Amino acid sequence: MPCLNEADTVGICVEKAVRAMRDAGINGEVVVADNGSTDGSQELAREQGARIVDVAERGYGAALMHGIEASDGKYVLMGDADDSYDFLELPKFVDRLREGHDLVQGCRLPRGGGKVLPGAMPFLHRWFGNPVLSALVRLMFRIPINDVYCGMRGFTRKHYDQLDLRSPGMEFATEMIIKSGLHRNSHGTSMSQVPITLHPDGRQQHGPHLRTFRDGWRTLRLFLVFSPKWTFFRPGMVLLAIGVIGYAMALPQVHLFGAALDVHTLLVASLFILMGWQCILLATLARIFTGREGMMPPHEKLEHVTVERGLLFGIVSSVAGAAMVATIVYQWWQSGFGALDYPETMRWVVPGVTLLAIGFQTAMASLMAGVLMMQRSRRIRPIE
């Protein structure tokens, strides 16, 4: 249980957890990760049988990480100390874990069989924040979880150690779900969910630690970080498609709604192509980086991509673009550097410059990929 000045409720939560384990014959302990409480929460928790772990680093995630690392159990159940989660429901999480699941997520929303009591969740969270963010998780990461923000969940210690979680704030719980989902898709991690009831916050001295818009944005930002496909690759493909369509209509001077599409359309189409290609390169670099850093499982296909292939593509594209531009320069020289047919010459210059830019971007990105793909080596210590 993460705790920061929860004197109103931490004793109740610890007592319920201890009672639930005793009644169900579960051999366990209650660890309260205290984040610097000044209201006597520590003593109240100890009186009910909890072990206190003092955590100097501030933050919901920081408290949980230190508390989990200090725990001794095969299974870990986390939940807030504000009495909104009923720890008497603890045994059904343990039962699911004993069935072989690596992570068991609580679900407060009716969609997953849960229940939110009146006054237990703000209107914006209940009808917009949680449903929308949970839907994004299911869409972007293919994770069968209906309530991504629920802070009551159980998991095996082995699974937790494999996740390498890093978020010190409220997004810690979301990072756990996303990484578990990524491991599910690549390593067969088993995830399940159980319906629970969310009760009104029992605290009187202060309000919730959660900040709606700040923590909502940090969660969305986490989604984007862990999904280069949605953040970069798919938008890049859309931009590329628009650019290619623009070329296909501008080169033959297609008339659309009475307007003749010409070199100006070609310029705009080139802009879309360049932006789209830049997004695809960023997706590649981001995916290599997240795989190498352990943030996501390595991408097998990208592991076999070589710097030389990227450089070769960049050189070929640059040479083709330079040849197109050189053709127009030669024509200009032949005409004594006089006036040129603007619409005709731009049909060569614009694609040529675009190919040059794509070639340069690809070559530089390939070199950067080489930097990211360098293996860490152990530093050899000198012989003394």
Side-chain angles (χ1 to χ4, degrees):
M1 298 181 194
C3 177
L4 176 59
N5 294 326
E6 311 288 7
D8 292 329
T9 54
V10 67
I12 298 172
C13 292
V14 173
E15 187 277 328
K16 285 184 178 180
V18 170
R19 177 159 39 113
M21 288 190 287
R22 183 182 65 244
D23 293 347
I26 297 171
N27 181 25
E29 64 173 347
V30 179
V31 176
V32 173
D34 188 76
N35 218 186
S37 297
T38 57
D39 62 352
S41 294
Q42 302 93 325
E43 288 305 317
L44 292 170
R46 281 196 188 94
E47 289 174 2
Q48 298 300 327
R51 176 161 65 92
I52 307 300
V53 174
D54 293 316
V55 182
E57 182 183 358
R58 285 301 181 96
Y60 173 79
L64 281 167
M65 283 189 280
H66 284 80
I68 294 169
E69 288 166 5
S71 66
D72 297 322
K74 176 181 179 181
Y75 305 127
V76 179
L77 177 76
M78 59 178 258
D80 299 343
D82 59 4
D83 202 27
S84 59
Y85 298 124
D86 186 357
F87 284 95
L88 294 176
E89 296 186 279
L90 179 154
K92 59 186 179 183
F93 287 86
V94 177
D95 290 341
R96 288 288 182 91
L97 290 169
R98 286 173 172 170
E99 290 173 5
H101 297 291
D102 298 295
L103 183 141
V104 180
Q105 174 74 358
C107 182
R108 306 163 295 178
L109 303 180
R111 180 186 178 117
K115 186 176 182 181
V116 179
L117 296 181
M121 187 182 293
F123 179 86
L124 191 61
H125 297 188
R126 172 70 178 83
W127 299 106
F128 181 74
N130 281 310
V132 169
L133 292 173
S134 296
L136 283 175
V137 165
R138 291 194 298 273
L139 174 66
M140 296 172 68
F141 303 99
R142 295 178 295 168
I143 300 175
I145 294 296
N146 291 308
D147 187 5
V148 66
Y149 252 128
C150 181
M152 189 174 186
R153 64 188 63 167
F155 43 87
T156 66
R157 178 60 187 270
K158 179 181 178 181
H159 175 61
Y160 172 82
D161 290 339
Q162 292 173 341
L163 294 180
D164 186 25
L165 301 179
R166 307 182 183 191
S167 301
M170 286 291 182
E171 66 273 25
F172 170 87
T174 311
E175 183 188 358
M176 180 185 291
I177 293 294
I178 292 174
K179 283 192 172 180
S180 295
L182 293 172
H183 277 260
R184 171 179 176 267
N185 297 331
S186 62
H187 297 101
T189 294
S190 177
M191 301 176 68
S192 181
Q193 62 181 6
V194 294
I196 64 171
T197 299
L198 183 69
H199 299 262
D201 187 333
R203 293 173 294 198
Q204 302 295 325
Q205 297 182 26
H206 61 83
H209 297 297
L210 181 69
R211 296 293 178 265
T212 300
F213 294 102
R214 181 200 65 184
D215 294 318
W217 158 244
R218 289 169 71 170
T219 299
L220 181 59
R221 183 181 65 187
L222 196 73
F223 291 177
L224 299 176
V225 167
F226 280 98
S227 184
K229 181 183 292 184
W230 283 89
T231 307
F232 301 115
F233 184 75
R234 290 184 176 176
M237 291 299 293
V238 170
L239 291 169
L240 269 179
I242 294 172
V244 170
I245 292 172
Y247 262 67
M249 299 177 71
L251 287 175
Q253 290 183 299
V254 171
H255 286 70
L256 186 66
F257 302 115
L261 304 182
D262 208 332
V263 291
H264 296 89
T265 303
L266 210 60
L267 276 170
V268 175
S270 290
L271 175 63
F272 276 90
I273 288 175
L274 289 173
M275 290 191 298
W277 188 246
Q278 183 67 52
C279 286
I280 290 173
L281 293 176
L282 286 172
T284 304
L285 295 175
R287 193 62 184 84
I288 291 172
F289 175 78
T290 54
R292 292 280 168 156
E293 285 295 307
M295 297 169 63
M296 298 174 67
H299 195 290
E300 292 184 4
K301 291 182 179 179
L302 290 181
E303 289 295 312
H304 298 294
V305 173
T306 62
V307 175
E308 290 74 20
R309 289 181 183 179
L311 285 173
L312 179 61
F313 178 87
I315 291 171
V316 170
S317 176
S318 297
V319 169
M324 295 181 74
V325 174
T327 299
I328 300 304
V329 173
Y330 177 75
Q331 291 180 5
W332 190 27
W333 174 66
Q334 287 287 84
S335 67
F337 297 108
L340 294 173
D341 183 356
Y342 172 75
E344 184 63 29
T345 56
M346 289 298 285
R347 290 174 182 279
W348 287 80
V349 172
V350 172
V353 170
T354 302
L355 286 172
L356 273 168
I358 287 175
F360 180 78
Q361 287 179 328
T362 306
M364 294 298 103
S366 298
L367 293 173
M368 186 62 199
V371 173
L372 296 177
M373 294 173 73
M374 291 180 66
Q375 297 285 353
R376 285 194 181 97
S377 60
R378 294 184 178 180
R379 182 176 296 176
I380 300 175
R381 301 179 64 180
I383 299 176
E384 296 180 357

